[in-house]
């Protein structure tokens, strides 16, 4: 449509951003600004919680839960779940307020360790397996405070976290440590398998354990949050750290994970965000492998740090752990209705 002189006086009343930028780019910029602000607020809260993550974790006493639905076999499939707009979600301010509300309780809680029982009865096959949480690069278990609370409030009482040293320089070594940790949990809890949730680098460590170290015999479902499955090019100046180099596209570790993995028994659910600036390219957080049973969940409107914190993502993680994959996951058009904004 041609703009006439009569229309020109109306131009100053239009939003400045709409006059300077195309409408689509304007919307993206505003969404990115909002996501960045939320990430910064979450980072500030996490820095306060960070010291509490170094304290010893309470070890859960094995308790036989009520029987649930029997797990059905996993059918290999690769699925894309688009997070649609329009569904009511918790406001971002609620995330910040909830984080602030638990700061004093988390930071002052005295750690206690329950000794391992001399013998743990084997849990029924129908019982929900324990959940193991593994954090990202230069982080600790405190990043999962809100996610852990959400899981516990919805019936997952057996939750444990693995802290690996920020000085860890090899993904393979960290994966071996994760394997020993999971074996100890299975022995103590009397469980044959566990579910794992990994944020960022933690998801890559867990995937290496599953694919390359035989961990598919122990891990039923692996949920990754913003994990660079195909490697990320962000922050080239960080290449001085060996584990950052292992997360680059084409690194030996990434190439190992791209190799065939026939018969892998673990089901993967990968959450990736279209505003995750730690992933370059963004799609690197998708898991696309012909031999793996995988579901990719696209998250819109939040950044990297919000993935393990946002209540809508927590609801998606709970759903991923509770819904046993079946034949219906073979449809690439299947949508689970989760919205993150």
């Amino acid at each position: 449509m041609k703009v006439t002189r009569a229309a020109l006086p109306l131009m100053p009343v239009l939003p400045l951003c709409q006059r300077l930028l195309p409408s689509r780019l304007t919307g993206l910029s505003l969404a990115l600004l909002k996501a960045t602000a939320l990430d910064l607020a979450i980072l500030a809260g996490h820095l306060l919680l960070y010291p509490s993550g170094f304290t010893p974790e309470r070890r859960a006493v094995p308790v036989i839960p009520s029987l649930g639905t029997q797990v059905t076999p996993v059918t290999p499939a690769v699925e894309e779940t688009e997070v649609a707009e329009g569904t009511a979600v918790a406001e971002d301010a609620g995330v910040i307020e909830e984080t602030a509300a638990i700061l004093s309780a988390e930071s002052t809680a005295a750690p206690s360790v329950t000794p391992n029982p001399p013998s743990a009865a084997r849990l029924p096959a129908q019982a929900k397996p324990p959940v193991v949480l593994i954090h990202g690069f230069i982080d600790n278990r405190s990043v999962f405070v809100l996610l852990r609370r959400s899981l516990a409030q919805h019936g997952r009482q057996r939750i444990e976290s693995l802290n690996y040293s920020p000085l860890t320089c090899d993904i393979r070594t960290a994966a071996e440590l994760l394997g020993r940790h999971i074996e100890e949990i299975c022995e103590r809890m009397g469980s044959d398998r566990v579910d794992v949730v990994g944020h960022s680098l933690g998801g890559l460590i867990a995937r290496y354990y599953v694919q390359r170290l035989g961990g598919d015999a122990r891990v039923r479902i692996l949920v990754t949050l913003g994990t660079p499955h195909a490697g990320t090019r962000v922050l080239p100046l960080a290449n001085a750290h060996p584990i950052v180099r292992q997360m680059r596209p084409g690194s030996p570790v990434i190439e190992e994970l791209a190799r065939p993995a026939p018969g892998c028994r673990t089901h993967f659910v990968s959450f990736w965000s279209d505003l995750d600036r730690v992933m370059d390219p963004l799609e690197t957080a998708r898991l696309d492998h012909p031999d793996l049973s995988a579901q990719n969940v696209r998250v819109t409107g939040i950044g990297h740090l919000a993935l393990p914190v946002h209540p809508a993502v927590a609801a998606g993680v709970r759903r991923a752990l509770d819904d046993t994959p079946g034949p219906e996951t073979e449809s690439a058009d299947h949508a689970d209705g989760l919205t993150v904004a």
Side-chain angles (χ1 to χ4, degrees), residues 87-122:
T87 304
V89 296
E91 295 182 356
D92 294 336
V95 180
I96 303 171
E97 291 174 1
E98 187 173 358
T99 304
I102 60 174
L103 289 179
S104 57
E106 279 293 322
S107 59
T108 59
S112 62
V113 178
T114 302
N116 293 345
S119 60
R122 184 63 53 180

Side-chain angles (χ1 to χ4, degrees), residues 238-256:
N239 280 342
H241 199 295
I243 210 165
V244 173
R245 295 197 297 270
Q246 290 183 336
M247 288 190 285
R248 297 301 189 204
S251 73
V253 168
I254 298 298
E255 290 182 348
E256 280 188 62

Side-chain angles (χ1 to χ4, degrees), residues 266-280:
T266 300
H267 178 67
F268 297 81
V269 182
S270 177
F271 288 79
W272 67 284
S273 172
D274 59 357
L275 294 179
D276 188 341
R277 297 306 165 189
V278 178
M279 299 295 108
D280 182 19

Side-chain angles (χ1 to χ4, degrees), residues 279-299:
M279 299 295 108
D280 182 19
L282 292 173
E283 292 77 9
T284 190
R286 287 174 45 93
L287 178 52
D288 297 305
H289 192 294
D291 295 332
L292 301 180
S293 167
Q295 176 186 0
N296 291 298
V297 181
R298 180 181 178 182
V299 179

